[in-house]
Amino acid sequence: MTHALSFPVPTSVGSLESYIQSVKALPMLTPEEEHDYGVRLKQDNDVEAARMLVMSHLRVVVSIARGYLGYGLPQADLIQEGNIGLMKAVKRFDPDRGVRLVSFAVHWIKAEIHEYILRNWRLVKIATTKAQRKLFFNLRSLKQSLGTLNPEEVRAMAGHLGVKPHEVVEMETRLTGQDIALEGNSADDEDSFSPIAYLVDPNAEPAVKLELEDTARRHTEGLAAALESLDARSRRIIEARWLQEDGGSTLHDLAAEYGVSAERIRQIEQKAMQKMKALIGEH
């Protein structure tokens, strides 16, 4: 059975309430319907089946997104990011595993919302590893009911999450820091300064921006060409050490992977870097 449903998208405060109400009005799928749509999507790549699976679970995204309102980010944006996670889950859904889509999708919805929060919360990249990300969200939930963590609590959380105690303290400091208004108070002394006065980008001029973009493009092309010039092992070592978002592999990790010493990996890395620098300098 096919329901003629549109895919509403929240864009403003006014439409957000309408969106939430329309999402709540969408019919839930029975286990049999969900399995049928899942099979059609998996076997025939049926777009309509995928749409039905997404539409029937939009209310789940709204419910999860509400749990992240404390970060000060727009609810509509949280919902849209969660919807992206839902669509990723639907794409990977296997109806023959005997697991309902909602159970499978929660992970993908939360993961996408987490990524959005980390990219945008106070415009600061505050968590770069999996352990730090877990620390960020655990501390955020704790701060709703606790004061400053004492040394014993800091050590316990650090041990549980696999991070250093000073990382817990640093993250707590960032979470409890106060936001500063960019614009100064109009009643302030005329000689006073607000952050907006010294946050002006000196590279905002169009000509400068074009020059910077051209330089960045040439550097990117040079890096790609330099990587391409390396042998497979050297390229793998450089990519694993320097081009990973999670902090990269250690010398010992790669030494175990290739069955050589960490010093040998360091030598290969150093030689590859020297070759790349020479090639990039030519671009």
Side-chain angles (χ1 to χ4, degrees):
M1 178 175 60
T2 300
H3 301 277
L5 298 173
S6 59
F7 195 164
V9 177
T11 56
S12 66
V13 176
S15 65
L16 177 60
E17 291 305 318
S18 299
Y19 171 84
I20 293 175
Q21 292 305 315
S22 64
V23 161
K24 289 182 178 180
L26 295 175
M28 294 290 291
L29 298 178
T30 66
E32 293 75 19
E33 288 176 325
E34 180 177 294
H35 182 270
D36 177 58
Y37 285 128
V39 170
R40 284 168 49 184
L41 174 60
K42 181 180 179 181
Q43 295 182 353
D44 306 321
N45 198 27
D46 189 325
V47 176
E48 178 62 19
R51 191 174 71 87
M52 291 304 304
L53 291 170
V54 170
M55 297 292 287
S56 62
H57 288 79
L58 291 177
R59 67 177 68 197
V60 177
V61 176
V62 171
S63 177
I64 293 175
R66 282 176 172 167
Y68 295 92
L69 294 180
Y71 294 95
L73 296 171
Q75 184 179 5
D77 290 349
L78 292 170
I79 291 173
Q80 288 194 34
E81 294 298 321
N83 286 346
I84 293 174
L86 171 60
M87 287 186 280
K88 288 183 178 180
V90 167
K91 183 178 180 180
R92 294 165 173 79
F93 178 53
D94 186 348
D96 296 323
R97 289 187 177 180
V99 178
R100 292 299 300 270
L101 175 57
V102 63
S103 301
F104 178 70
V106 166
H107 164 77
W108 290 94
I109 295 169
K110 287 185 176 181
E112 208 67 30
I113 292 177
H114 284 186
E115 287 294 329
Y116 170 73
I117 292 173
L118 291 173
R119 288 196 309 268
N120 295 277
W121 197 63
R122 292 187 182 177
L123 304 180
V124 178
K125 191 175 183 182
I126 59 176
T128 57
T129 67
K130 292 180 180 179
Q132 287 177 329
R133 293 181 182 198
K134 189 174 182 181
L135 171 61
F136 174 81
F137 288 104
N138 274 294
L139 266 179
R140 183 68 187 182
S141 61
L142 280 173
K143 300 311 292 182
Q144 295 177 3
S145 56
L146 297 177
T148 303
L149 297 176
N150 60 46
E152 183 178 345
E153 291 171 330
V154 168
R155 287 192 296 271
M157 179 166 287
H160 177 67
L161 297 177
V163 298
K164 297 177 181 179
H166 76 82
E167 292 180 297
V168 176
V169 174
E170 180 183 3
M171 188 69 74
E172 182 184 29
T173 301
R174 289 176 173 178
L175 286 171
T176 55
Q178 297 297 313
D179 291 328
I180 301 175
L182 289 177
E183 297 285 357
N185 190 324
S186 59
D188 290 344
D189 186 271
E190 62 179 9
D191 293 328
S192 65
F193 292 92
S194 59
I196 196 65
Y198 52 81
L199 289 180
V200 177
D201 185 0
N203 298 319
E205 290 295 327
V208 177
K209 291 184 67 175
L210 286 174
E211 181 179 353
L212 291 174
E213 290 173 1
D214 181 64
T215 301
R217 177 185 58 76
R218 285 187 284 107
H219 284 175
T220 300
E221 292 174 352
L223 176 60
L227 280 172
E228 194 65 30
S229 72
L230 300 177
D231 60 86
R233 182 172 65 172
S234 297
R235 183 165 59 251
R236 159 68 181 150
I237 290 173
I238 294 298
E239 290 177 342
R241 290 275 290 156
W242 301 102
L243 301 179
Q244 302 298 317
E245 292 185 359
D246 62 358
S249 302
T250 65
L251 293 174
H252 292 285
D253 291 337
L254 292 166
E257 179 179 332
Y258 285 102
V260 297
S261 67
E263 174 59 21
R264 178 56 181 154
I265 295 295
R266 188 194 66 77
Q267 292 172 357
I268 296 172
E269 176 188 39
Q270 185 177 32
K271 184 177 179 180
M273 292 291 281
Q274 290 173 347
K275 182 177 181 180
M276 289 179 65
K277 286 179 181 178
L279 289 172
I280 291 174
E282 296 174 0
H283 282 74

